[in-house]
Amino acid sequence: MVTVNQQRFPRKRTYLMCSPEYFAVEYAINPWMDVTTPVDRDLAVKQWDRLRETLVGLGHEVHLLRPESGLPDMVYAANGGFVVDGSVYGARFKHEQRAAEAAAHHAFYEAQGWRFIAPSETNEGEGDFAYVPEAHGGLILAGHGFRTELPAHAEAQEALGRPVVSLRLIDPRFYHLDVALAAIDDANVVYFPGAFSAASQRVLTQLFPDAVIADDEDAMAFGLNLVSDGANVVLNSEATRLAGKLKAAGYTPVPVELAELKKGGGSVKCCIAELRH
């Protein structure tokens, strides 16, 4: 079990975000998207701004990716790549509606002078990859089943030189790893077991015996789609039960309201890519 009230220490992070200036639900590529539900873009921008301000207020650095007209999902910046130790494994989106986002992310990383590895396999960046640098010497957890293809896991391992643990997602509502699991510090995770195959659940239990376990209610509120600096956990304000569990484990929940961006099937983490130098 998780040690109750253990002292947690934050570590400064560097993030990448993209304004929802062109956000809309114009197509449905996950079970959360409904083209008949109107989107309040102005409210989406306000909620996104509050999220960005929250991160900056916690002492983190936020880089901005310029949004592009015709790419309504660009706000979900986590999906455009996966960065470990200054190397970027680029994204290759499953759905053609999002394919052009990959080039925008590639251009950003090139301009920053980062080492960029172009993918051959379908993968959606941090949507399906999580990094836990102090777990078992440094592990990449990788989801497959709906978006990222299994061969991308091997490609990421070769590109980044870190062991990759493949986890099979089985519930279409949790189509990306980052809506079912998140790193809450450099050695531990929080996850919803029901999103994973029985074998993947056993793997997670073995690797993370002290994990915080979320329930169906947490998961449906997009509570797992969070970012943590090791002490402060920024998560969807609707995930009140999970906030309580995290607080009991010694973390400080920082709730944010992202109702508009949930309409596209994403929340806090979907909007944020971590840039690990």
Side-chain angles (χ1 to χ4, degrees):
M1 288 296 293
V2 174
T3 304
V4 177
N5 293 326
Q6 181 178 336
Q7 192 171 5
R8 308 290 178 183
F9 298 97
R11 178 167 59 77
K12 182 181 177 180
R13 311 287 174 133
T14 304
Y15 295 124
L16 177 65
M17 298 180 67
C18 182
S19 169
E21 192 177 324
Y22 301 107
F23 176 64
V25 179
E26 298 173 349
Y27 46 78
I29 58 173
N30 69 57
W32 304 95
M33 300 176 92
D34 179 356
V35 296
T36 66
T37 301
V39 168
D40 185 335
R41 190 176 292 159
D42 289 342
L43 181 56
V45 171
K46 283 180 183 173
Q47 291 175 346
W48 177 90
D49 268 332
R50 181 64 55 85
L51 173 60
R52 180 182 55 80
E53 289 163 2
T54 298
L55 296 172
V56 172
L58 290 170
H60 305 304
E61 183 179 352
V62 178
H63 292 264
L64 297 177
L65 183 66
R66 182 175 296 160
E68 296 182 16
S69 177
L71 295 175
D73 279 344
M74 257 187 93
V75 63
Y76 303 124
N79 304 152
F82 178 54
V83 187
V84 175
D85 293 338
S87 293
V88 186
Y89 176 52
R92 184 172 180 172
F93 288 86
K94 179 179 176 70
H95 295 287
E96 62 178 351
Q97 293 96 330
R98 299 194 65 186
E101 293 178 41
H105 283 264
H106 186 180
F108 169 83
Y109 289 116
E110 282 212 322
Q112 298 287 315
W114 295 53
R115 174 176 172 259
F116 187 89
I117 302 101
S120 299
E121 306 292 346
T122 299
N123 83 90
E124 299 200 346
E126 280 202 324
D128 275 321
F129 290 107
Y131 186 47
V132 199
E134 292 180 12
H136 307 279
L139 287 183
I140 293 170
L141 305 178
H144 68 101
F146 297 102
R147 297 291 185 85
T148 295
E149 300 288 343
L150 191 55
H153 296 186
E155 189 174 60
Q157 181 167 282
E158 285 299 306
L160 300 170
R162 292 286 182 277
V164 173
V165 176
S166 296
L167 302 167
R168 187 160 74 89
L169 298 163
I170 59 168
D171 186 330
R173 297 173 301 176
F174 310 113
Y175 59 94
H176 271 155
L177 183 70
D178 71 2
V179 290
L181 177 149
I184 44 176
D185 57 40
D186 287 344
N188 204 10
V189 300
V190 55
Y191 67 96
F192 170 54
F196 298 93
S197 69
S200 292
Q201 289 182 43
R202 290 196 296 272
V203 169
L204 285 167
T205 299
Q206 181 177 334
L207 291 175
F208 301 101
D210 295 328
V212 175
I213 304 300
D215 60 23
D216 188 78
E217 186 179 316
D218 302 324
M220 292 297 288
F222 277 81
L224 282 303
N225 196 238
L226 59 81
V227 295
S228 174
D229 60 16
N232 304 291
V233 182
V234 183
L235 78 167
N236 195 292
S237 58
E238 294 176 32
T240 52
R241 285 168 59 93
L242 183 57
K245 292 173 189 174
L246 291 164
K247 191 170 184 179
Y251 299 91
T252 302
V254 183
V256 290
E257 171 60 60
L258 282 181
E260 289 307 298
L261 292 169
K262 269 183 68 179
K263 294 175 180 177
S267 187
V268 174
K269 176 60 191 146
C270 286
C271 295
I272 301 166
E274 185 169 349
L275 308 181
R276 302 175 188 87
H277 296 281

